[in-house]
Amino acid sequence: YGDEPETVAQAETSRTMEVSCPQFLAGFKCRPAGEGEDYMRLAVIGDIACDILLGDSSPLYLRLYDQGLINASFGGSFEMMPGIAYLYAGGDSKDARTVAAEIQKEADRLVREGIDEAFYQQVTRAAFGSNLRGLNSFENIAVSLTEGYFHGYDPFRFPEVFDSITKEDVTAFLRDNIRAERMVLSEIVPPQA
């Protein structure tokens, strides 16, 4: 796959299309994980960090929603592929630049002030529960076993991995990855009338 540089190729892009409301995606280029348990550990840390930063019960989500900057279409995720990792957020917004700036500000605030302990516990319990519920799905087990095989880890060790993750790990993820120089913003805007 080659080595992916840490810098972004293009910080902003915009395209005019026939949409009723402007849409955007803001992405943050993250450091990729190694193989083995490091891969699984980064996946869990990235998911928890994403939920703390962007989840629909996060302070940022509630603030942006109350201000009318986002609607229910807003969401985000952390993804990994061979040699790359990224966290993204997007949806409908008439002011994507402000939303992207607020995501960055909230990550900075969480790093500076720390993550609220009760909220951290709520998010990690929900993430653990989601993994546990996944054991009821044959499809989910098959996907987890296949991914674990190709990345060199045992997906059934997720309880130990969860136990090894601290609030400081999540804070370090936000500090190292959710930075202005790692962000790209892509917008789709409707034609001007």
Side-chain angles (χ1 to χ4, degrees), residues 29-94:
K29 202 171 196 181
C30 303
R31 290 193 177 99
E35 292 297 308
E37 203 157 286
D38 288 343
Y39 188 91
M40 182 168 60
R41 193 166 193 281
L42 181 61
V44 173
I45 290 171
D47 286 342
I48 291 172
C50 187
D51 287 343
I52 286 171
L53 181 62
L54 308 167
D56 57 10
S57 63
S58 71
L60 175 68
Y61 184 98
L62 299 173
R63 188 171 67 247
L64 294 175
Y65 191 87
D66 287 345
Q67 293 172 357
L69 291 169
I70 61 170
N71 59 25
S73 71
F74 181 80
S77 187
F78 176 69
E79 302 289 336
M80 294 192 308
M81 292 175 216
I84 63 166
Y86 58 95
L87 186 144
Y88 70 90
D92 299 339
S93 180
K94 290 182 169 55

Side-chain angles (χ1 to χ4, degrees), residues 10-15 22-27 89-91 96-97 100 183-189:
Q10 185 176 348
E12 284 191 29
T13 183
S14 182
R15 177 158 297 199
Q23 301 170 359
F24 79 100
L25 274 178
R97 282 186 177 82
M183 187 183 84
V184 297
L185 177 63
S186 177
E187 292 181 274
I188 298 174
V189 295

Side-chain angles (χ1 to χ4, degrees):
Y1 294 99
D3 291 324
E4 181 69 23
E6 288 195 14
T7 57
V8 298
Q10 185 176 348
E12 284 191 29
T13 183
S14 182
R15 177 158 297 199
T16 301
M17 296 178 79
E18 294 293 331
V19 293
S20 60
C21 180
Q23 301 170 359
F24 79 100
L25 274 178
F28 294 88
K29 202 171 196 181
C30 303
R31 290 193 177 99
E35 292 297 308
E37 203 157 286
D38 288 343
Y39 188 91
M40 182 168 60
R41 193 166 193 281
L42 181 61
V44 173
I45 290 171
D47 286 342
I48 291 172
C50 187
D51 287 343
I52 286 171
L53 181 62
L54 308 167
D56 57 10
S57 63
S58 71
L60 175 68
Y61 184 98
L62 299 173
R63 188 171 67 247
L64 294 175
Y65 191 87
D66 287 345
Q67 293 172 357
L69 291 169
I70 61 170
N71 59 25
S73 71
F74 181 80
S77 187
F78 176 69
E79 302 289 336
M80 294 192 308
M81 292 175 216
I84 63 166
Y86 58 95
L87 186 144
Y88 70 90
D92 299 339
S93 180
K94 290 182 169 55
D95 194 352
R97 282 186 177 82
T98 299
V99 174
E102 289 298 316
I103 292 169
Q104 179 64 59
K105 283 185 204 172
E106 180 67 4
D108 293 343
R109 184 193 70 78
L110 290 168
V111 169
R112 187 178 59 254
E113 297 175 11
I115 300 166
D116 177 73
E117 181 64 28
F119 187 53
Y120 173 78
Q121 293 299 328
Q122 173 189 333
V123 169
T124 54
R125 282 192 305 269
F128 184 84
S130 176
N131 274 273
L132 200 57
R133 281 189 305 279
L135 296 175
N136 285 330
S137 164
F138 176 77
E139 179 183 354
N140 186 54
I141 290 172
V143 168
S144 296
L145 286 172
T146 303
E147 184 174 275
Y149 175 80
F150 284 108
H151 292 289
Y153 67 86
D154 178 2
F156 294 121
R157 285 190 34 79
F158 76 87
E160 291 90 345
V161 170
F162 268 88
D163 285 345
S164 75
I165 293 170
T166 65
K167 192 164 49 167
E168 290 72 28
D169 293 327
V170 176
T171 301
F173 176 90
L174 293 170
R175 181 189 63 240
D176 296 343
N177 295 297
I178 311 305
R179 302 192 336 227
E181 65 270 15
R182 291 180 168 274
M183 187 183 84
V184 297
L185 177 63
S186 177
E187 292 181 274
I188 298 174
V189 295
Q192 298 296 330

